[in-house]
């Protein structure tokens, strides 16, 4: 049997090649965009996700669908927004999921809590106007190096 993601989520490359106008998600996947956050430009980092209002600890900030992508995107401008999804696989998080910046002192975390869904949650109180960051290593306390210079 095929999974929901196998049947309903087309490749991003197919989307970019206009083989499909919009990604199709299963009818049982109901996600609403968060009004708690917005994207702003951050000097030295590019885009970042910011709190539009106070976000208490343990608040779910955003749940986003994930699109597994073809290796062809490694050589495009989208590469900076891709993340590892299992072994030898890359993915793009929809919503603002691929725009959160990295920090070794993050105020949020992400979890892969359902197939093809990432959930972003506050790990401390986040104040209005504060940038929301995650540790790209997966766990907030991990200090493993990342493949770029970290700007805090």
């Amino acid at each position: 049997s095929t999974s929901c993601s196998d049947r309903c989520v087309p490749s991003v490359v197919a989307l970019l090649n206009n083989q499909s106008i919009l990604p199709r998600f299963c009818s049982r996947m109901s996600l609403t965009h968060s009004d708690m956050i917005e994207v702003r430009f951050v000097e030295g980092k590019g885009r970042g996700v910011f709190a539009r209002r106070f976000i208490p600890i343990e608040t779910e900030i955003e749940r986003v669908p994930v699109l597994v992508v073809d290796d062809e995107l490694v050589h495009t401008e989208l590469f900076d927004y891709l993340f590892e999804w299992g072994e030898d696989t890359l993915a793009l998080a929809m919503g603002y999921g691929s725009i959160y910046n990295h920090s070794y002192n993050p105020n949020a975390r992400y979890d892969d809590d359902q197939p093809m869904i990432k959930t972003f949650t506050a790990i401390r109180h986040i104040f209005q106007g504060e940038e929301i960051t995650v540790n790209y290593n997966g766990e907030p306390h991990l200090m493993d190096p990342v493949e770029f210079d970290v700007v805090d």
Side-chain angles (χ1 to χ4, degrees), residues 101-113:
N101 284 316
H102 169 77
S103 175
Y104 287 117
N105 186 27
N107 52 18
R109 66 175 291 127
Y110 63 87
D111 293 289
D112 301 330
D113 59 15

Side-chain angles (χ1 to χ4, degrees), residues 36 38 40 50-55 125-131:
M36 293 184 278
E38 65 186 3
R40 296 184 194 167
F50 287 79
R52 294 181 64 205
R53 61 175 175 81
F54 175 76
I55 302 173
H125 294 316
I126 302 172
F127 296 93
Q128 182 177 356
E130 185 177 356
E131 183 178 12

Side-chain angles (χ1 to χ4, degrees), residues 28-49:
R28 68 178 178 267
M29 184 187 293
S30 178
L31 301 172
T32 304
H33 190 71
S34 175
D35 65 351
M36 293 184 278
I37 55 178
E38 65 186 3
V39 173
R40 296 184 194 167
F41 182 79
V42 182
E43 194 66 43
K45 292 184 180 181
R47 293 181 184 102
V49 179

Side-chain angles (χ1 to χ4, degrees), residues 75-90:
H75 306 293
T76 70
E77 292 180 19
L78 286 177
F79 178 72
D80 290 340
Y81 299 97
L82 302 178
F83 54 91
E84 292 178 5
W85 186 262
E87 272 188 52
D88 301 321
T89 305
L90 297 173

Side-chain angles (χ1 to χ4, degrees), residues 3-152:
S3 71
C4 172
S5 59
D6 293 336
R7 290 188 325 261
C8 302
V9 183
S11 155
V12 170
V13 170
L15 294 174
L16 295 176
N17 289 331
N18 293 322
Q19 293 174 14
S20 176
I21 296 172
L22 294 172
R24 294 169 292 142
F25 299 107
C26 292
S27 59
R28 68 178 178 267
M29 184 187 293
S30 178
L31 301 172
T32 304
H33 190 71
S34 175
D35 65 351
M36 293 184 278
I37 55 178
E38 65 186 3
V39 173
R40 296 184 194 167
F41 182 79
V42 182
E43 194 66 43
K45 292 184 180 181
R47 293 181 184 102
V49 179
F50 287 79
R52 294 181 64 205
R53 61 175 175 81
F54 175 76
I55 302 173
I57 189 171
E58 297 184 10
T59 299
E60 182 179 285
I61 300 167
E62 182 177 32
R63 290 180 64 219
V64 300
V66 172
L67 298 178
V68 174
V69 300
D70 297 330
D71 291 341
E72 297 170 38
L73 290 181
V74 170
H75 306 293
T76 70
E77 292 180 19
L78 286 177
F79 178 72
D80 290 340
Y81 299 97
L82 302 178
F83 54 91
E84 292 178 5
W85 186 262
E87 272 188 52
D88 301 321
T89 305
L90 297 173
L92 179 69
M94 304 307 285
Y96 296 151
S98 286
I99 302 176
Y100 292 86
N101 284 316
H102 169 77
S103 175
Y104 287 117
N105 186 27
N107 52 18
R109 66 175 291 127
Y110 63 87
D111 293 289
D112 301 330
D113 59 15
Q114 292 181 16
M116 307 304 287
I117 300 285
K118 272 197 173 313
T119 301
F120 294 82
T121 306
I123 59 173
R124 67 166 174 78
H125 294 316
I126 302 172
F127 296 93
Q128 182 177 356
E130 185 177 356
E131 183 178 12
I132 302 171
T133 57
V134 296
N135 186 328
Y136 286 3
N137 290 310
E139 293 296 326
H141 66 278
L142 292 179
M143 300 299 284
D144 297 347
V146 290
E147 297 179 9
F148 54 88
D149 294 331
V150 177
V151 178
D152 270 327

